[in-house]
């Protein structure tokens, strides 16, 4: 191998080493996102006693209108418990959760409805949660969303829909009064 070929080989090796360092160096310097717990969807999460609340949010069309709480509640205890959610102006809803099981509020036949949301769509409202098994409680903030996103429109509670005229008003058409 002549001197020119060795120089090219050394340059190629150096370029490859720099490329490998730049690719693998990111994992060394930056923390891995998979090691951090966070709410990966639109909702928020909280834990109270044996209950784990995931992807919790309120679906409503207004601050003073009813709001449906949706999300998932996991019960890791060996007893059935009841989750109580208290929102704005003392509005509250109760959710039974079976032992070692979960309840999806999205699919529940017993809707978790708060009589007033306490926040406009797009805001965060604070709710208090209590579970009756260990009588532990906590406060956390949940987002208020409306039916703008079509996937959430089906969860709008009765009385939360925007008010307005259900039937379009018609204007009388002009009539011809000319005689020929």
């Amino acid at each position: 191998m002549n001197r020119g070929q060795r120089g090219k080989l050394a340059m190629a090796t150096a370029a490859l080493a720099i490329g490998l360092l730049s690719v693998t160096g990111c994992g060394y310097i930056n923390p891995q996102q998979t090691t951090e717990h966070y709410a990966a969807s639109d909702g928020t999460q909280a834990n109270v006693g044996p209950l784990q609340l995931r992807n919790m949010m309120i679906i409503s069309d207004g601050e003073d209108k009813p709001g449906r709480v949706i999300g998932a509640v996991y019960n890791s205890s060996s007893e059935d418990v009841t989750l109580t959610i208290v929102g704005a102006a003392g509005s509250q809803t109760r959710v039974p959760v079976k032992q070692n099981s979960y309840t999806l509020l999205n699919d529940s036949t017993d809707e978790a409805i708060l009589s007033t949301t306490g926040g406009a769509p797009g805001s965060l409202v604070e709710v208090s949660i209590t579970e009756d098994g260990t009588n532990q409680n906590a406060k956390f903030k949940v987002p208020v969303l409306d039916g703008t996103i079509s996937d959430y429109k089906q969860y709008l509670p009765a009385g939360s829909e925007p008010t307005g005229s259900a039937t379009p008003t018609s204007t009388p058409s002009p009539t011809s009064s000319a005689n020929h």
Side-chain angles (χ1 to χ4, degrees), residues 80-105:
D80 294 351
V81 297
T82 300
L83 168 69
T84 302
I85 303 169
V86 179
S91 63
Q92 72 175 17
T93 186
R94 297 172 56 96
V95 178
V97 186
K98 299 272 185 212
Q99 64 183 358
N100 295 312
S101 184
Y102 63 92
T103 298
L104 295 176
L105 300 177

Side-chain angles (χ1 to χ4, degrees), residues 36-136:
E36 295 180 29
H37 297 283
Y38 64 97
S41 186
D42 293 330
T44 56
Q45 61 185 11
N47 297 325
V48 59
L51 298 181
Q52 300 171 7
L53 288 73
R54 299 294 181 259
N55 200 28
M56 302 299 288
M57 64 187 87
I58 299 172
I59 309 298
S60 177
D61 261 339
E63 183 173 350
D64 298 326
K65 294 189 177 186
R68 180 175 179 184
V69 180
I70 64 172
V73 182
Y74 299 91
N75 179 3
S76 61
S77 75
S78 58
E79 296 180 21
D80 294 351
V81 297
T82 300
L83 168 69
T84 302
I85 303 169
V86 179
S91 63
Q92 72 175 17
T93 186
R94 297 172 56 96
V95 178
V97 186
K98 299 272 185 212
Q99 64 183 358
N100 295 312
S101 184
Y102 63 92
T103 298
L104 295 176
L105 300 177
N106 315 15
D107 300 333
S108 177
T109 55
D110 298 325
E111 296 178 347
I113 305 289
L114 295 172
S115 60
T116 183
T117 303
S123 67
L124 288 173
V125 296
E126 186 173 80
V127 297
S128 298
I129 53 174
T130 306
E131 62 85 21
D132 69 350
T134 59
N135 289 321
Q136 292 188 25

